[in-house]
Amino acid sequence: MLFQVIFLSICQLEMGYPAIYINRLRIDVPSGGGKMNTKPRFSGLEWLRFSLGVFVMIYHTAPSYPQFGRVPWLKDIASMGLFATSTFFVLSGFLLAHVYFNRNQMREPARSFWLKRLCNLYPIHIVALGVSILVLLLMQHLSIPPDGPVATPRFVVYDTHDISGQTNPERYRHYMSDKELGLNALLQLLMLQAWNPLYLTFNAPLWSLSTLCFFYLIFPYAAPKLLRIDHVKLAIAVLCLIYLLPPLYVIFHAFWGIPWTGLLHRFPPFRLPEFLCGILCYSLFSRERERGYRLSDRRGTMLWVFVLCCFIAGTWLYTQRPERIWYPLLHNGLLLPSQLALVYLCAWLPDPASAWLQRNLPRLGASSLSIFALHVPLFYLWITLEPLLRSMVSDLHGNWQAWVSSAGDTALSLTGYVVFILMTVWICLHFQEQFVAKMRRFMLRRVL
């Protein structure tokens, strides 16, 4: 609540002299009637959504490198993936409201919007799902210790913050039965996996795409109403308070185990306030821009300090405080005002002077969903093949069994980790452009 009061107070500061100006690229977005709808592109938001994708990738992969544990502050920062995912949901609401609305009117029918979003999301999802299963089967076939021999698509871990999950982790490890495997495969194919609060299957980060799919269904109904609200800041404050209700309920009743952890983590209706606040954030921003307001140095600096302080405080509470109350609060609402402020600030950032960045920032931003979806199977593949290749290079005259045995004792290197991150960004960038974009056009030609 304190964070929300501070955020709204800063937003009420008097307008100062313009210090940061918008110098936007123009992009052509096809409208529902076949006309081209010219919209400004936000370079700062392209930076942001690409950075969020990379941050989530580091959050999921860095713990496999013990070298990070030797730098406590670096390990703590890398553990704040919850901040990145929530900010991404806020950003999605902001960008969709910007692209699909003209003066509070949606520029195309809901059916057209749904088809376009599904044709963009589903190819990413289905390829990431298939690649994940194939990589797990490959790991099992190669049987390179320590993960290879136990790799299987059936393995899951129940979601819990119960203390027994830390003292007795084997209790929450589970291998799905044939019925469970079939049911969860169906949920994945229908993009409903986020509605399973017990555990994550096949490729854990794909829950975020499932949740986005739910947001897309809500958008044509919710966005027009939200964009017509006069008291935008009050509406944001109310939504922030509503978002805190589920974690407060869980804390009050001490529901630390199954299924409450999974519900707070990814249950789409519980995460919806982030997306809706993103739409309201765009409403606030667009109204200020229409009346000629530009962000002042004072207001901008105060908001950046606010975001930084919230992130530092949230990181400290999440990593250093043993009380279990902080995770649900930080994950579901307490940091939302700072996430809104971050998106708002990045929307005001000017375009870079570099022509190369102006050309490539939209490409990097567009690759963010692919990074979200593909980084886990690519990482599993990397940590399987990197030690194997290094053992083969170190012993060119060895045999397969010797290489596999040596690979199991080979530690992952930070140099290899940097290579993995750069390689993943390159793969996802070209996957988005050479497969997803083309598949989207192919699908749309047949359904629109």
Side-chain angles (χ1 to χ4, degrees), residues 253-328:
H253 293 280
F255 290 150
W256 310 118
I258 304 167
W260 299 100
T261 302
L263 288 172
L264 290 181
H265 180 210
R266 58 187 173 276
F267 187 55
F270 284 1
R271 303 300 297 265
L272 184 60
E274 295 173 341
F275 181 73
L276 299 182
C277 279
I279 298 172
L280 287 171
C281 185
Y282 173 74
S283 179
L284 178 67
F285 172 84
S286 63
R287 293 181 189 190
E288 290 181 343
R289 188 178 57 177
E290 285 176 2
R291 64 174 182 256
Y293 171 69
R294 297 295 182 266
L295 189 66
S296 68
D297 283 335
R298 180 175 66 161
R299 188 184 182 200
T301 300
M302 291 181 70
L303 282 172
W304 280 116
V305 170
F306 169 69
V307 172
L308 182 61
C309 288
C310 287
F311 184 84
I312 293 173
T315 302
W316 182 77
L317 290 171
Y318 177 56
T319 60
Q320 304 300 320
R321 300 301 299 175
E323 298 88 348
R324 286 180 290 177
I325 65 171
W326 291 115
Y327 175 80

Side-chain angles (χ1 to χ4, degrees), residues 312-369:
I312 293 173
T315 302
W316 182 77
L317 290 171
Y318 177 56
T319 60
Q320 304 300 320
R321 300 301 299 175
E323 298 88 348
R324 286 180 290 177
I325 65 171
W326 291 115
Y327 175 80
L329 288 174
L330 293 169
H331 189 281
N332 291 72
L334 202 59
L335 291 174
L336 181 53
S338 64
Q339 292 151 357
L340 288 165
L342 178 59
V343 171
Y344 174 85
L345 285 166
C346 288
W348 283 108
L349 291 177
D351 290 324
S354 166
W356 184 90
L357 283 177
Q358 290 184 12
R359 287 194 310 270
N360 288 284
L361 270 180
R363 299 177 64 208
L364 293 173
S367 69
S368 59
L369 270 181

